[in-house]
């Protein structure tokens, strides 16, 4: 048995690879920003005094965390279609990924909120801050800081998991690879390149989160405490 | 609800306050009053209900019965305006509770800006002023974790002062500190008293209470067991207070 690799045959399709990688990164960026917002709201909702809101948030989080991403994507894709609504594959993918990562974000942020000592909140209440002001000024950043590694890993995982969006023909990296390997009959080479590109994308995201951490947590920068 | 407050009304008054945690009756008909400019020291054994009484004043606990009036706010009523109440009352806890992600300056300016809508530049001037009051001007831009316990507690006092409260509540604010740091915090509180601040403080520092308090409230099993001027510490009338001050609590 001999292994014959022909990378040039595949690499000449580099503009397609780059386009796919760019789209994957774009998908991840949208879903990260929207999912962070959505998930944080759901985490706040789970602590709501209204049992209806708290219950709805819990059902959402548990449903998403106990179903496969691909099924969620199909549900959004065919659900919207059966309502007669037409959206691009990209929009559907962003929506499904947001819903998915939002649930994980909610769970992680809830742990972050719970790690804030009761005394912090009492001190803020004693200063006459409102509930909203307390969440915004006192709880949010320290909570994010406490779960930052878990949270950012989740967003990197989301980027990797976005490869299943190839199933609804969003032109992201894995979808592009599928076309290329069926054109070139060079499947192994194609997926080696794709794997390398995913590693690079992961590193890009991790570097981005590291930089964001410097901006979000100036105390750590000043005191030199690593995350 | 804010009633019209005449200058002769007490700043804080509790009348027959009842409070239970489940089956545990923690406050069993507590009454006392604090006049403007007065310093009241709440003393008593651990578990006698001192913290609970103090927390009821700022409505961190809801009372089951009785009446609490603080700066004209009916604190025992369900419709009390909490944010108005807490602008009139400053509270400092044993565990400082500075906000760790904010500098000392930001800790101090947050509430005046967010609650009172004060302009940032004015709030910064105010931060300098209150920090000078507690002797910490040079820590303006430090983070809480860069300060010693005593400094953190003084910064927490400054943060409360920046809201210009009409009364300050202190709950064993020196209990977590060693004697040297305790002294620097007590000095700050002494200065506040000298400046005429109305204060209610739970303390185990009997020597300090004796020196600074206009009135002592000795709590025992959820009741005000004995009360009077600071001299009751040296000549107690009840056997319980006699025993309490006798067990080495009265240091000078
Ligand atoms: N939130 C609470 N839930 C249940 N029990 C409490 C709570 N707060 C205080 N207690 C109980 O009430 C009693 C009085 O507590 P506290 O007012 O803190 O006493 P002190 O400050 O005099 O030591 C104690 O037995 C304490 O365990
Ligand atoms: Mg106590």
């Amino acid at each position: 048995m001999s292994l014959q690799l022909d990378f040039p045959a595949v690499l000449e399709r580099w503009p397609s690879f780059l386009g796919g990688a760019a789209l994957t990164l774009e998908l991840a960026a949208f879903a990260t920003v929207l999912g962070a917002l959505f998930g944080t709201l759901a985490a706040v909702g789970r602590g709501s005094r209204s049992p209806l809101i708290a219950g709805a948030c819990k059902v959402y989080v548990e449903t998403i965390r106990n179903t496969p991403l691909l099924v969620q994507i199909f549900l959004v894709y065919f659900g919207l279609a059966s309502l007669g609504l037409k959206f691009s594959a990209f929009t559907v993918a962003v929506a499904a990924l947001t819903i998915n990562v939002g649930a994980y974000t909610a769970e992680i942020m809830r742990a972050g909120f719970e790690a804030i000592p009761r005394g912090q909140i009492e001190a803020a209440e004693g200063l006459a801050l409102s509930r909203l002001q307390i969440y915004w000024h006192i709880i949010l950043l320290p909570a994010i800081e406490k779960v930052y590694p878990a949270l950012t890993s989740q967003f990197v995982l989301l980027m990797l998991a976005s490869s299943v969006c190839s199933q609804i023909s969003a032109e992201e990296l894995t979808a592009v690879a599928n076309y290329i390997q069926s054109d070139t009959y060079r499947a192994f080479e194609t997926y080696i390149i794709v794997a390398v590109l995913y590693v690079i994308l992961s590193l890009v995201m991790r570097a981005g989160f590291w930089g964001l951490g410097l901006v979000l947590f100036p105390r750590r920068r000043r005191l030199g405490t690593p995350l | 609800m804010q009633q019209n407050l005449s200058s002769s009304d007490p700043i804080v008054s509790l009348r027959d306050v009842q409070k239970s945690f489940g089956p545990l009756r923690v406050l069993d008909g507590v009454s006392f009053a604090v006049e403007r400019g007065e310093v009241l020291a709440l003393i008593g054994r651990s578990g006698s209900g001192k913290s609970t009484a103090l927390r009821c004043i700022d409505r961190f606990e809801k009372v089951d019965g009785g009446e609490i009036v603080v700066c004209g706010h009916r604190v025992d009523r369900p419709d009390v305006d909490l944010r108005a109440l807490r602008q009139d009352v400053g509270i400092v806890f044993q565990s400082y509770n500075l906000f760790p992600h904010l500098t000392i300056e930001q800790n101090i300016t947050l509430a005046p800006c967010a609650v009172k809508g004060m302009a940032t530049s004015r709030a910064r001037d105010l931060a300098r002023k209150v920090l000078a009051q507690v002797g910490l001007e040079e820590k303006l831009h430090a983070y809480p974790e860069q300060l010693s316990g005593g400094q953190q507690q003084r910064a927490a006092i400054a943060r409360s002062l920046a809201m210009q409260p009409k009364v300050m509540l202190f709950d064993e604010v020196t209990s977590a500190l060693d004697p040297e740091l305790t002294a620097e915090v007590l000095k700050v509180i002494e200065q506040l008293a000298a400046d005429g601040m109305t204060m209610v403080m739970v303390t185990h520092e009997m020597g300090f209470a004796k020196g600074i308090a206009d009135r002592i409230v000795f709590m025992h099993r959820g009741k005000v067991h004995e009360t009077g001027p600071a001299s009751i510490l040296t000549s107690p009338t009840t056997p319980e207070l006699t025993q309490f001050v006798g067990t080495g609590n009265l240091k000078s």
Side-chain angles (χ1 to χ4, degrees):
Chain A
M1 234 184 357
S2 76
L3 182 63
Q4 292 222 317
L5 293 179
D6 183 6
F7 279 106
V10 177
L11 276 175
E12 67 186 21
R13 307 287 287 265
W14 63 268
S16 302
F17 279 116
L18 281 190
L23 200 87
T24 289
L25 201 55
E26 209 177 319
L27 267 179
F30 273 105
T32 295
V33 172
L34 295 174
L37 288 174
F38 192 57
T40 303
L41 286 178
V44 173
R46 275 195 86 165
S48 164
R49 279 179 274 191
S50 146
L52 194 72
I53 295 175
C57 292
K58 187 175 156 96
V59 168
Y60 157 62
V61 169
E62 290 309 319
T63 308
I64 296 302
R65 294 204 315 145
N66 291 291
T67 48
L69 175 58
L70 184 57
V71 172
Q72 294 162 16
I73 291 174
F74 282 149
L75 280 175
V76 174
Y77 187 68
F78 293 116
L80 289 173
S82 70
L83 291 173
L85 299 169
K86 275 201 71 75
F87 289 100
S88 69
F90 181 81
T91 308
V92 172
V94 167
L97 292 174
T98 297
I99 291 169
N100 178 270
V101 82
Y104 290 93
T105 300
E107 203 55 11
I108 295 169
M109 282 304 291
R110 193 167 68 109
F113 288 154
E114 278 169 6
I116 303 299
R118 179 80 210 130
Q120 289 283 307
I121 295 159
E122 288 198 339
E125 287 173 345
L127 290 166
L129 294 167
S130 68
R131 257 176 89 81
L132 198 66
Q133 287 171 334
I134 293 174
Y135 260 114
W136 184 247
H137 293 291
I138 307 303
I139 300 182
L140 190 60
L141 268 186
I144 293 176
E145 186 176 342
K146 281 180 205 294
V147 297
Y148 199 65
L151 202 56
T152 52
S153 293
Q154 193 64 53
F155 295 133
V156 173
L157 282 176
L158 165 86
M159 183 275 292
L160 299 176
S162 73
S163 74
V164 300
C165 296
S166 58
Q167 296 293 314
I168 56 168
S169 43
E171 305 276 321
E172 48 69 64
L173 184 53
T174 302
V176 166
N178 294 345
Y179 299 138
I180 293 175
Q181 65 92 12
S182 65
D183 270 5
T184 58
Y185 303 103
R186 290 283 167 195
F188 192 37
E189 292 87 334
T190 303
Y191 288 110
I192 287 175
I193 290 166
V194 162
V196 169
L197 286 173
Y198 273 114
V199 170
I200 291 170
L201 289 181
S202 293
L203 293 176
V204 166
M205 279 184 81
R206 286 184 193 281
F209 286 126
W210 179 81
L212 182 65
L214 291 183
V215 177
L216 284 179
F217 316 121
R219 172 173 111 260
R220 291 191 176 267
R221 198 174 56 219
R222 270 266 301 279
L223 305 185
T225 344
L227 267 167
Chain B
M1 263 200 285
Q2 179 107 32
Q3 302 166 342
N4 278 336
L5 190 62
S6 92
S7 60
S8 62
D9 284 331
I11 297 280
V12 175
S13 89
L14 283 76
R15 204 156 65 210
D16 196 27
V17 169
Q18 315 275 340
K19 171 74 190 175
S20 299
F21 290 112
L24 182 67
R25 180 164 280 215
V26 177
L27 299 181
D28 189 7
V30 169
S31 304
F32 59 78
V34 189
E35 308 295 332
R36 187 181 300 271
E38 228 182 14
V39 177
L40 182 142
L42 272 175
I43 62 169
R45 280 203 194 88
S46 173
S48 57
K50 306 179 298 292
S51 293
T52 305
L54 197 78
R55 289 167 59 82
C56 284
I57 295 173
D58 209 7
R59 207 159 186 273
F60 281 110
E61 307 291 350
K62 284 181 204 159
V63 299
D64 302 328
E67 186 189 283
I68 302 185
V69 185
V70 178
C71 302
H73 306 280
R74 277 295 298 267
V75 179
D76 53 295
R77 295 230 177 112
D79 63 349
V80 61
D81 182 346
L82 272 185
R83 297 190 67 199
L85 168 72
R86 287 168 178 171
Q87 288 186 53
D88 287 340
V89 181
I91 185 163
V92 183
F93 304 90
Q94 180 181 332
S95 49
Y96 337 130
N97 298 336
L98 291 172
F99 307 127
H101 60 301
L102 302 178
T103 63
I104 299 303
E105 181 181 54
Q106 292 167 331
N107 262 274
I108 294 173
T109 56
L110 175 60
C113 292
V115 176
K116 293 184 166 173
M118 189 181 284
T120 317
S121 60
R122 264 198 66 206
R124 287 202 178 130
D125 292 341
L126 180 61
R128 276 191 186 77
K129 200 187 114 209
V130 291
L131 276 179
Q133 245 177 301
V134 301
L136 282 180
E137 304 97 310
E138 79 282 4
K139 298 298 183 187
L140 198 62
H141 299 296
Y143 282 97
E145 67 193 88
Q146 295 174 296
L147 272 54
S148 73
Q151 292 172 331
Q152 289 192 44
Q153 193 57 291
R154 280 147 64 200
I157 293 171
R159 181 176 68 179
S160 262
L161 288 176
M163 288 296 279
Q164 287 154 334
K166 299 195 175 92
V167 53
M168 291 277 287
L169 311 176
F170 295 95
D171 192 357
E172 294 193 33
V173 293
T174 59
S175 293
L177 304 173
D178 59 38
E180 199 178 326
L181 301 182
T182 295
E184 62 182 49
V185 173
L186 295 185
K187 220 177 85 194
V188 165
I189 298 177
E190 248 163 39
Q191 188 54 50
L192 281 179
D195 295 344
M197 176 62 80
T198 310
M199 302 193 275
V200 183
M201 45 189 228
V202 175
T203 183
H204 283 302
E205 301 286 333
M206 288 305 126
F208 179 67
K210 204 171 133 233
I212 193 180
D214 300 298
R215 193 193 308 255
I216 305 284
V217 166
F218 171 61
M219 292 195 55
H220 184 65
R221 300 196 174 158
K223 288 186 158 69
V224 176
H225 199 73
E226 187 169 345
T227 180
S231 60
I232 66 167
L233 291 176
T234 38
S235 46
T237 57
T238 61
E240 287 78 13
L241 182 55
T242 309
Q243 202 203 355
F244 181 73
V245 297
T247 50
N249 276 303
L250 192 57
K251 305 173 275 191
S252 43

